[in-house]
Amino acid sequence: MEIIIKKTAEEAGRAAARLLAEVVQKKPESVLGLATGSTPLPVYRELIDMERRGEVDFSRVHTVNLDEYVGLGPDHPQSYRRFMEENLFCHLSIAAENTFVPDGLAADIPAACDAYEEKIAALGGIDLQLLGIGHDGHIGFNEPDRVFSVGTHQVHLTAMTREANARFFPSAEEVPASAVTMGVGTVMQAEKLVLLATGADKAEIVKKALEGEVDPQVPASVIRLHRNVTVILDKAAASRLSQGRESALKRI
Ligand code: F6R
């Protein structure tokens, strides 16, 4: 596992963007696994700038997103489909039909989850999966559990996650109670993982995920079992790390 520590969240985001862009430069028809939330916003801004500068071409890329709220469709301002359209897809040359986000409005959610797994397999798997981390260690919407989840499935969101995401909704009650998410197993099948965490509020969970036990109670800890993973942190998110902290800090 490689850990890169940058001074600011913006710089950490740019470093993550460069890793995504490298994958696309090497393989223009790459499949990128994407995340929503505040953390990847600097990544998406940089990818948009890079394509504008002619450094990378997204016209042949496919994307698959980690998750979506159940009950929210593309027209809902807080749906993850809408988030991706506004913050990334509509600014890139990527074809709309090559972007996939789980369907929060599916009549048959289990069938839609199976279809999402089949879609990822039909695309040839994910070349690079970008991950954020929740305060309880969730990746995608895989919340702390007794076991690591396998495939795409429906989850009930914890009070902590709903509270953390309430900032995007007019009121906390409007945060959906459940979501569809790729499973931990789906994530672990990606060729490469990039976990990005920024801000002092993530320092404690980053320490647990990177230095504690690999434990389904801290879902992000599973990434340590992946053969090709880069963790990118800003100084604030890295501030509680002990092991290797000195050497990692040298790479600022
Ligand atoms: C969303 C996702 C989540 C977020 C996590 C952190 O697609 O995968 O696991 O990465 O909730 O969210 P932010 O970045 O808003 O702190």
Side-chain angles (χ1 to χ4, degrees):
M1 182 171 67
E2 180 187 28
I3 302 178
I4 296 172
I5 302 174
K6 295 285 180 184
K7 280 201 190 84
T8 66
E10 244 354 270
E11 284 174 47
R14 282 202 292 274
R18 282 196 293 278
L19 293 182
L20 271 84
E22 257 170 40
V23 167
V24 177
Q25 285 155 349
K26 278 196 198 122
K27 181 181 169 192
E29 68 287 357
S30 287
V31 178
L32 299 179
L34 300 177
T36 57
S38 306
T39 313
L41 287 173
V43 183
Y44 298 155
R45 283 197 288 271
E46 179 67 5
L47 289 178
I48 294 163
D49 286 350
M50 287 182 90
E51 187 168 64
R52 283 191 185 141
R53 295 196 296 261
E55 294 166 16
V56 61
D57 173 9
F58 284 92
S59 61
R60 289 161 65 194
V61 164
H62 287 70
T63 63
V64 285
N65 261 77
L66 282 165
D67 43 15
E68 179 60 282
Y69 290 114
V70 168
L72 303 195
D75 294 338
H76 193 286
Q78 303 312 336
S79 73
Y80 285 173
R81 161 58 75 178
R82 181 68 125 14
F83 175 98
M84 292 308 300
E85 295 296 340
E86 286 177 356
N87 291 294
L88 188 66
F89 299 151
C90 76
H91 306 284
L92 296 180
S93 65
I94 193 165
E97 64 272 22
N98 292 344
T99 65
F100 300 93
V101 179
D103 181 2
L105 295 180
D108 183 343
I109 297 266
C113 290
D114 290 347
Y116 203 68
E117 287 289 319
E118 282 159 22
K119 172 50 75 182
I120 294 170
L123 291 171
I126 299 169
D127 292 292
L128 183 154
Q129 177 65 56
L130 178 64
L131 298 167
I133 181 171
H135 294 111
D136 59 2
H138 69 238
I139 48 173
F141 269 134
N142 293 285
E143 301 281 19
D145 207 341
R146 282 177 300 112
V147 288
F148 289 116
S149 64
V150 180
T152 300
H153 62 293
Q154 183 169 1
V155 282
H156 290 281
L157 303 181
T158 61
M160 190 193 252
T161 297
R162 292 184 71 210
E163 206 177 290
N165 289 3
R167 68 191 194 278
F168 299 114
F169 289 81
S171 72
E173 295 71 52
E174 287 173 65
V175 183
S178 72
V180 170
T181 181
M182 277 185 204
V184 170
T186 325
V187 167
M188 290 293 281
Q189 280 175 36
E191 271 303 305
K192 179 170 181 65
L193 301 180
V194 174
L195 184 132
L196 177 65
T198 53
D201 58 314
K202 297 286 174 71
E204 189 57 44
I205 194 64
V206 163
K207 181 182 172 64
K208 265 195 199 158
L210 301 187
E211 296 183 355
E213 299 287 311
V214 173
D215 178 354
Q217 288 297 327
V218 184
S221 63
V222 77
I223 67 166
R224 283 155 52 205
L225 303 179
H226 196 280
R227 65 193 177 286
N228 185 357
V229 45
T230 302
V231 176
I232 305 180
L233 307 170
D234 68 354
K235 263 180 109 166
S239 59
R240 300 293 302 274
L241 288 183
S242 46
Q243 285 173 20
R245 187 173 167 209
E246 286 311 306
S247 58
L249 281 172
K250 282 191 195 126
R251 294 150 76 165
I252 286 175

